């Protein structure tokens, strides 16, 4: 059975206001936002092993069973190596592939592993903006806006140890992560050429925006 877990955490704050200076009104705003999303996936599969990491085929060990001295089923690899300190050998538990409910929790723990993963996405963003009229033109005020933004992004993907080592039916899956930070400044100027109180017969509004 697969198990998915997912969570999201959004945060957003905005402040705005105005003040008067140099015979002008300045409008400003400052904002901050944070978002993160976390996911977790769990899925248990049989362990087929990977020689690169010195992990044998545990399902094969558990399926190959014999009758032990006490008359109980015993893994052949354990019966042939009674004094082994190798945990994969001394802790082997026979596995019965037939029927439902035939295997103990210990047998299931031995032949399976979690091949899930976790992932995280994270973002922080802060902005500040200010605008004001610069000069009065016949068609209206020429306005100038300035702003700055700083953004941080991070993402990670972490497979389980069994997935990283490729102990199941899949090739090894590597973990990965990355981050970056950007800083930006920007400006915009709005120049009204035609407007209320100053227009032509064939054109009433004409504005140029430069950014």
């Amino acid at each position: 059975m697969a198990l998915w877990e997912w969570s999201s955490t959004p945060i957003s704050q905005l402040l705005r206001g105005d003040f008067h200076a140099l015979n002008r009104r300045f409008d400003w705003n400052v904002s901050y936002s944070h978002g993160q999303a976390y996911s977790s996936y769990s899925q248990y599969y049989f362990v087929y092993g990977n020689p690169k990491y010195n992990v044998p085929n545990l399902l094969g060990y558990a399926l190959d069973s014999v009758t032990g001295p006490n008359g109980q089923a015993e893994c052949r690899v354990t019966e042939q190596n009674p004094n082994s300190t190798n945990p994969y050998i001394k802790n082997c538990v026979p596995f019965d592939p037939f029927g439902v409910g035939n295997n103990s929790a210990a047998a299931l723990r031995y032949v399976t592993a979690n091949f899930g993963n976790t992932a995280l996405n994270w973002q922080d963003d802060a902005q500040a903006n200010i605008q004001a009229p610069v000069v009065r033109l016949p068609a209206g005020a020429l306005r100038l806006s300035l702003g700055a933004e700083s953004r941080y992004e991070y993402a990670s993907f972490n497979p389980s140890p069994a997935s990283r080592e490729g102990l199941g039916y899949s090739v090894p899956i590597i973990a990965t992560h990355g981050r970056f930070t950007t800083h930006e400044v920007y400006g915009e100027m709005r120049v009204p050429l035609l407007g209320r109180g100053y227009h032509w017969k064939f054109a009433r509004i004409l504005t140029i925006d430069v950014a």
Side-chain angles (χ1 to χ4, degrees):
M1 181 180 68
L3 177 63
W4 280 96
E5 294 182 6
W6 184 85
S7 64
S8 177
T9 308
I11 299 174
S12 181
Q13 297 291 333
L14 173 65
L15 297 175
R16 64 176 62 190
D18 63 79
F19 62 91
H20 291 265
L22 303 174
N23 296 319
R24 293 175 176 84
R25 171 180 166 175
F26 291 81
D27 295 293
W28 61 270
N29 65 74
V30 177
S31 66
Y32 168 76
S33 64
H34 167 78
Q36 68 181 66
Y38 173 81
S39 66
S40 175
Y41 170 71
S42 297
Q43 177 70 73
Y44 284 81
Y45 294 107
F46 291 122
V47 175
Y48 298 114
N50 188 335
K52 179 180 178 180
Y53 296 99
N54 298 315
V55 179
N57 185 341
L58 301 187
L59 179 62
Y61 276 6
L63 288 173
D64 186 11
S65 62
V66 296
T67 302
N70 59 0
Q72 299 295 320
E74 183 180 16
C75 295
R76 185 186 303 273
V77 69
T78 305
E79 188 268 339
Q80 293 178 344
N81 302 274
N83 299 319
S84 176
T85 59
N86 186 318
Y88 298 122
I89 295 178
K90 71 175 184 178
N91 296 327
C92 182
V93 181
F95 180 77
D96 183 0
F98 303 103
V100 178
N102 296 335
N103 295 286
S104 64
L108 295 176
R109 284 195 301 268
Y110 180 78
V111 300
T112 62
N114 181 10
F115 290 87
N117 60 72
T118 61
L120 174 66
N121 287 277
W122 182 294
Q123 182 188 75
D124 289 301
D125 183 86
Q127 293 186 39
N129 302 281
I130 189 169
Q131 62 174 328
V134 177
V135 63
R136 175 67 60 179
L137 299 177
L142 183 153
R143 300 189 66 86
L144 179 65
S145 300
L146 300 175
E149 179 180 9
S150 181
R151 186 171 67 252
Y152 171 78
E153 306 254 5
Y154 173 81
S156 67
F157 174 79
N158 295 290
S160 68
S163 293
R164 288 198 302 266
E165 297 177 0
L167 304 185
Y169 64 86
S170 174
V171 297
I173 301 174
I174 63 173
T176 185
H177 70 276
R179 70 187 69 197
F180 67 88
T181 302
T182 58
H183 303 290
E184 301 176 353
V185 292
Y186 45 87
E188 181 180 357
M189 183 169 61
R190 172 166 291 188
V191 183
L193 300 180
L194 299 177
R196 187 173 59 180
Y198 185 80
H199 54 80
W200 298 334
K201 292 183 178 181
F202 58 86
R204 290 187 171 273
I205 298 175
L206 178 61
T207 302
I208 296 178
D209 287 327
V210 180

